[in-house]
Structures are given as structure tokens and as C-alpha cells.
Amino acid sequence: MLVVKTVEELKDVVFRIKSNGKSVGLVPTMGALHDGHLSLLKRAKKENEVVVCSIFVNPVQFNNPVDLEKYPRNVERDLQLIEPYVDVAFTPTAENVFPEPPTERYDFGKLEQVMEGAFRPGHFNGVGIIVKRLFDWTTPDKAYFGEKDFQQLVIIKHLVKDYNIKTQIVPCPIVREESGLAMSSRNQRLSPEDRAKAANIYRILKESLKLKDEAIQDIKDFVVNEINKIDGFKLDYYEIVDDMTLQPVDFADLSTGIIGCIAVYVGEVRLIDNIRYK
Ligand code: AMP
């Protein structure tokens, strides 16, 4: 595995790979890697001749400075974990990625006016900035994104359409701990007690599946009430949305896909998860 630390080196390496006619799969990450990330890398290894993994805590997608500061980082361990699956690891500094403050602006319209976009102003502009740059530098044939960040996945699909980017976006299912808790780098920040408590998020989402033929509002009320019952949880949102437009649904029958997305603070740590109803 080659470890490259600058954009210039990355572009050189990719140029050589592409000159040899090899296919490239890209897995963008922010590090503190877990089995969720590894599932993306394993899939990328199966489907591409060369796998590029970026490890970069992108400051411009954080709206909360404390979240950025406390985001777990352990690049040495990450590199050991990804070695079996990755050909090129890209671990740049923020100064190298952003020698100047970025001036690009990405507006995903209604897609970003709900859920993460509404609660984290500027977040998807920051995601757009880094993902578009990574795509420009690595020109991947395929890029892998987890369904855990469902809104992000939909927005990236729009980004490639809007900019006529040839990369195929490959969605990957959520990997969970045995308890059902969706794996997340932020889980490292949970105390053992809170980590056990956090398993209630998926338990409640799964229980709500029993109501999937009821009115949307009843499902929402159920989830919100159950979450609010748990000491130390603070709900940001629970939305049941169309899986293409991300707009809240009223009449289940009109949408071909329906997904419930949640963001909840467990103590100080903000976690997201989702579940498919249809
Ligand atoms: P992050 O490092 O959190 O920015 O995540 C990098 C990529 O891994 C994103 O596409 C995430 O959606 C994906 N990912 C993170 N956690 C999981 C998980 N538990 N299961 C599947 N994919 C995940």
C-alpha cells in the first residue's frame, strides 16, 4: 500500500494508474475506521483493480467546532486496518487540501433543506466541496458510500449528475454492532454506559416497522415518544421521507421508497441512523 500525503502526489499516482488502463475505486472516509468502513473497502477491492482510500477529517463540513475538535483521529491504526484492501491511502493535511479557504459553493436545493442539512447549516456545501475535489483528483470509476449517511448518499448521486461526472456511486448497507447500534467513528466518544443505551435507537426504529402499514404520523409519534422516554437522549429529528426526494411523505402509497431518518444526541455525542419502511 502506497501512502500519499499531498494532492500533487495523489494526482501523479492516479495518472500512472490510469495510463496503465486500470480501474479505480474510491472510498472517502474521515478515519477512526471501523467495520462499516471496511465493508466499503472490501466491496471496492472486489470491483476494481486499484482501491484508493482517503482519510481526511474535512474541516469545512463541520458546523460545530467542538465536534471537529473531538472527532476521533488515529491515522496509524487506520493504515494498519486498511492495508489488506487498499492500494493507495491518501492522508493529506488540511493545509494541503485547502491552501486557500475554498470558494466553491454547492447548493443541493430542497435535498439539503431537511434533516442533516437543516440541523447542520453548511454541512452539505462542505461535503460537496471535498467530494468533488476528491473525484477531480482520483477520477474514480466507482465510489463507495454508506447508507448510514443516507442523505449524503442521495446528495452525492445528485452531485455526479449535476456535474456530469462519470463515476458510478455504489451504495453500501449499514454495518451494525451486535447490539444493533450503527457503527460510527463517533461511537468511540460514548461511555460504556451510553454505548449500551445507544442501542435503543435501532431497537426503537426496528419496533416501528410493526407500524409500517399505519399512518406516517403514527409511526413518527411512536418513534419520537419512545426516544424521549430514554434518559440522556435528545432528539434532533425523526423524519420519514421519500428515498429519492428526501421530502417528508404524507401518503405512503405515492412513494416507491420510504425511509425513516433519525439524529439523536446520546449525552454529548450526536448519532444518526435510518430504517427502510418501503
Ligand atoms: P465517515 O468516515 O463517517 O465520513 O464515513 C465514510 C464512509 O463510510 C461514508 O460513506 C459512510 O456512510 C460510510 N459508513 C460509516 N459508517 C458506516 C456503517 N456503519 N455502515 C456502512 N457504511 C458506513
Side-chain angles (χ1 to χ4, degrees), residues 34-251:
H34 50 67
D35 284 349
H37 298 109
L38 296 186
S39 73
L40 272 55
L41 291 167
K42 285 177 195 167
R43 173 116 188 240
K45 186 172 167 65
K46 267 198 210 129
E47 298 180 353
N48 301 275
E49 288 166 296
V50 172
V51 175
V52 179
C53 176
S54 59
I55 299 175
F56 177 60
V57 183
N58 172 31
V60 301
Q61 73 184 66
F62 284 80
N63 58 312
N64 176 348
V66 178
D67 189 27
L68 173 61
E69 186 208 321
K70 296 210 163 156
Y71 200 85
R73 293 165 171 87
N74 194 343
V75 178
E76 287 316 311
R77 179 177 170 276
D78 288 343
L79 290 174
Q80 283 176 12
L81 280 176
I82 66 176
E83 236 273 342
Y85 317 107
V86 171
D87 302 284
V88 182
F90 177 48
T91 61
T93 61
E95 292 69 32
N96 185 255
V97 172
F98 300 118
E100 310 277 334
T103 53
E104 312 94 291
R105 291 289 174 267
Y106 294 90
D107 179 351
F108 299 101
K110 282 187 134 192
L111 292 176
E112 64 164 59
Q113 286 159 17
V114 291
M115 303 191 289
E116 291 304 280
F119 279 81
R120 301 180 66 190
H123 171 65
F124 286 116
N125 180 47
V127 170
I129 289 172
I130 190 64
V131 172
K132 175 69 165 59
R133 288 192 182 193
L134 287 170
F135 282 3
D136 288 346
W137 298 331
T138 55
T139 57
D141 297 278
K142 294 184 174 158
Y144 296 78
F145 291 89
E147 287 176 344
K148 168 157 176 292
D149 299 273
F150 190 80
Q151 188 172 13
Q152 168 173 281
L153 172 64
V154 173
I155 280 179
I156 301 295
K157 284 185 187 162
H158 275 260
L159 178 80
V160 296
K161 234 197 213 155
D162 289 350
Y163 287 84
N164 200 18
I165 297 168
K166 293 297 171 232
T167 303
Q168 182 193 334
I169 303 303
V170 183
C172 300
I174 302 177
V175 177
R176 299 182 179 281
E177 296 187 358
E178 242 172 70
S179 68
L181 174 63
M183 289 195 179
S184 164
S185 304
R186 289 186 175 86
N187 292 351
Q188 288 186 22
R189 293 183 50 207
L190 296 167
S191 65
E193 205 178 61
D194 278 351
R195 201 172 178 124
K197 215 186 250 182
N200 283 297
I201 300 170
Y202 186 56
R203 177 186 63 74
I204 293 167
L205 292 182
K206 247 187 358 192
E207 274 181 34
S208 77
L209 282 178
K210 286 191 300 210
L211 303 173
K212 75 187 173 65
D213 298 320
E214 310 284 319
I216 296 281
Q217 192 58 48
D218 291 345
I219 310 177
K220 270 179 87 167
D221 289 347
F222 171 80
V223 170
V224 171
N225 288 335
E226 292 298 311
I227 291 284
N228 285 337
K229 274 186 205 164
I230 295 174
D231 203 31
F233 276 17
K234 194 179 110 3
L235 184 68
D236 253 1
Y237 62 79
Y238 183 61
E239 292 288 355
I240 300 181
V241 299
D242 180 285
D243 69 352
M244 311 268 276
T245 66
L246 301 180
Q247 301 311 296
V249 282
D250 283 325
F251 301 104

